Amino acid sequence: MSEDQKQKLESQLWGIANLLRGKISADDYRDYILGFIFYKYLSEKQYLYANELLKSEGIEDYASLTEPDLLEAIKEESLLKLGYFLQPQELFSAMAAKGNTDYEDPDKVEGNGSNYILDDLQAVLNHIEQSTMGTESEDDFNALFEDLDLNSTKIGRTPNARNEIIVQILNRLNQIDFKLEDIHSDVLGDAYEYLIAKFAAGAGKSAGEFYTPQQVSKILAKIVTTGKSKLKSVYDPTCGSGSLLLRVAKEATVSEYYGQELNRTTYNLARMNMILHDVHFSDFDIRHEDTLENPQHKNERFEAIVANPPFSAHWKSDANPLNATDERFSQYGKLAPKTKADYAFVQHMLYHLADNGIMACVLPHGVLFRGAAEGIIRQYLIKELNYLDAVIGLPANIFYGTSIPTCVLVLSKCRKSDDNIVFIDASGEDHFVKEKNQNALRDQDVELIVDTYQNRKTIDKFSYVASLAEIAENDYNLNIPRYVDTFEEEEPVDIDAVMKEIKSLEAKRAELDQEIAGYFKELGLNF
């Protein structure tokens, strides 16, 4: 698929959102649009896979299959291969046709009326989830469509009004060919990511909970795959929609994906995102829970960890006595404060980092210099553990929903250059562009950051490789201006020239005053 075709697909998918935009909030119509795209994807995968199985039987169209024995055989194979099963009458195209009274007339595809299908559609969505019960994929599909509420009055006051809008969405989607048999699976996955980004841009403050801008994701992904083409595992403890995990797979072959997410809706998005990117259900393990209070992967260690945890989130800290003896936090001597969980997330990630792994996470600038408990934890990380490998300052206002300055901390348990730390200041105006209300990193900005980190370069007014002794002299304060001098000297002022200019201006003013006084005198006016 060409870039033009890809953009057309993204435009078509985003255009469907117009059916709901203005009626309900971006957060709500996101769930409907992405949910139905996911249903259509599952349906097309089922259709293609069933047709492949039916070739040996001389049958070409699964949609018309009624033979019970063949259906049972396809179900068995589908649960192993795809992780779910759809009957022919449950396919997306069948439901779209069922809802549209005029579906045979292409000129009336949106129709002036629709057959009522909401109950049947709900039954199909329930059946997709139920088909996985008792199988290996059960956890990955459990309650996956729970945010797609077909009875919500947000999309229509009456059942018929809701039915009308749902049928329109299905019909619009049904006209789009996902071309799953012709293209690399990432094209639809990328289009899905594109929609997530568009929804994030329109969702305001809440958007930051589920989306990390792609260029920031790219920096983290390139850093944690430094020197590697294959990764055994990648983990994100606050995985949002799973974008960061999937971004790592663009830089290296990843065998296993692990994530945890507190927000139930976003957790569902992450699982859908994995499946849409053709990650087999047995290769990802995304859990729903509070990462700090109830970690779900206690015994796992990961080769790469990426994260954009909620900035300065509240957590229980010493209000939960178990945290003082928790292996993740206990060795540092202090717990992160209740109102700033940033270092608690760092400690959690380090606990789960494999000895040969790298972790990179986005944090607010405050973690670089705040004192008290955070200062003690920071000093322990550097002086006792020597895990901190790089500090990267990002431009302000590059995240949706917040304009605070942010940084990336890179940590590793077996650092190759263990006697220094790389500081990069990418916040300067030369290192980003303005796009509407946001700042954005360009490809060349990303490449410069990654190259500077990987080659540990000192570049005037951009980066500095500081020795551990220098950092100790700064009392383990990591504020970037202490290490990267971005001060621009002003042009020297020529005092003689300025004085000459002032005298010239004063002389001209005296001449004008004299001229004006002459005019007043001619008019007989005295002042």
Side-chain angles (χ1 to χ4, degrees), residues 205-406:
K205 191 174 181 180
S206 62
E209 292 180 7
F210 66 87
Y211 188 70
T212 303
Q214 283 198 15
Q215 295 295 63
V216 177
S217 300
K218 193 185 289 186
I219 292 172
L220 302 189
K222 285 181 177 292
I223 284 175
V224 298
T225 55
T226 296
K228 296 178 179 177
S229 59
K230 292 181 180 177
L231 288 175
K232 182 178 184 298
S233 58
V234 59
Y235 171 60
D236 183 344
T238 55
C239 69
S241 58
S243 301
L244 266 174
L245 291 170
L246 291 163
R247 181 68 231 184
V248 174
K250 290 183 182 295
E251 304 297 334
T253 302
V254 177
S255 298
E256 297 168 351
Y257 302 78
Y258 295 84
Q260 189 166 335
E261 171 56 40
L262 177 60
N263 182 293
R264 182 81 193 178
T265 297
T266 315
Y267 157 71
N268 290 336
L269 269 183
R271 291 186 294 166
M272 290 184 191
N273 208 3
M274 286 287 150
I275 294 168
L276 271 165
H277 279 82
D278 225 19
V279 178
H280 193 263
F281 63 85
S282 61
D283 292 335
F284 72 86
D285 182 358
I286 309 289
R287 305 282 182 91
H288 171 232
E289 257 300 347
D290 184 320
T291 297
L292 297 179
E293 291 299 320
N294 195 6
Q296 296 291 298
H297 302 95
K298 288 181 180 175
N299 299 319
E300 302 288 348
R301 298 295 181 271
F302 308 104
E303 192 172 356
I305 299 180
V306 286
N308 176 17
F311 299 153
S312 301
H314 289 213
W315 76 305
K316 289 186 178 177
S317 188
D318 55 10
N320 179 357
L322 294 177
N323 284 336
T325 55
D326 191 310
E327 284 184 295
R328 296 173 295 168
F329 314 122
S330 58
Q331 66 175 309
Y332 296 84
K334 286 284 183 181
L335 291 171
K338 288 188 181 73
T339 57
K340 296 179 181 65
D342 305 310
Y343 271 110
F345 281 112
V346 170
Q347 292 165 325
H348 170 87
M349 286 184 269
L350 272 174
Y351 179 78
H352 286 287
L353 184 66
D355 287 343
N356 66 336
I358 300 175
M359 64 172 259
C361 58
V362 181
L363 296 161
H365 254 206
V367 301
L368 302 178
F369 52 79
R370 288 193 298 244
E374 291 178 285
I376 293 170
I377 294 170
R378 188 169 58 243
Q379 179 171 334
Y380 191 87
L381 272 175
I382 301 167
K383 184 179 178 183
E384 305 300 331
L385 298 177
N386 195 12
Y387 287 169
L388 184 63
D389 201 38
V391 177
I392 302 168
L394 298 174
N397 201 30
I398 57 172
F399 288 88
Y400 297 115
T402 178
S403 59
I404 67 169
T406 54

